[in-house]
Each structure stands twice: as structure tokens, then as C-alpha cells.
Amino acid sequence: MTPATRQKVLGLYRKILQIAKNWQSASGQMEETMKEKEYIRNEARTLFRKNKNVTDPKLIKQCIEECEARIEIGLHYNIPYPRPIHLPPMGLAHKQGRTLRHQEKLRKISKPIYLKSHDEVS
């Protein structure tokens, strides 16, 4: 990892911890706010530790992009949890002549960047 990349990753981690420190839930209830703050800290800690040994520059770039996307979406919608994708079970391909394997491939391709690591951790 280059020093510039390392600084960017550490900066993102600091930014997430700062967001968690200042987080207010959409409902305004103190109990819910505390749960969401704890979720943000735990999710960041888990994902950053999971990816600490990644050395491939492309994979590092993907992780950074996912982190930035999750930060922006969380701040925009005021929801710290990843927003699920809503796709009908067989909605991406024609049912005639297509196999389930192809359907799964299309679902994987269509998954938003901010959900790539969510399935692995949850």
C-alpha cells in the first residue's frame, strides 16, 4: 500500500468515527441514536480489520469506493444501515431459455458497490 493510499484509508476511518460521534438518529430518540452510533463503530471496525491485509491496488480502490459510497448514502438518508436492493426474484432475465446460474450472475453484477462487503460480514 502506498503512503497516499494509507493516508486516504486512515482518513476515511477517522471520518467514520467522527460521523459516529456526531450521529443523530432520524427519530431523535436517545436509545436509537446510541444503537446506531454503536452499529457505525462496529461495522467500521469489522470491515477495516477484515480488509487490513489487502494488498491488491484494484481491491483497495474498490474498498475505498465502497466506503465512500456508504458514507454518502448514510449521511444523505440519515440511516447508518446499508440500503437493500429491491430486485424481483426472477426479474432480470427472461424465463424462457435462461438458467438460474445466469440469473445469479446478473444479480451479482447488478449489486450496488455499497453492498459488496455487507453480505460477507452479516
Side-chain angles (χ1 to χ4, degrees), residues 1 50-61 63:
M1 183 184 300
K50 181 185 134 228
N51 294 319
K52 75 178 182 179
N53 295 322
V54 174
T55 56
D56 180 27
K58 287 183 182 179
L59 193 54
I60 292 171
K61 186 178 182 223
C63 291

Side-chain angles (χ1 to χ4, degrees), residues 8 12 22-23 78:
K8 183 161 183 87
L12 283 171
N22 299 322
W23 186 261
N78 200 28

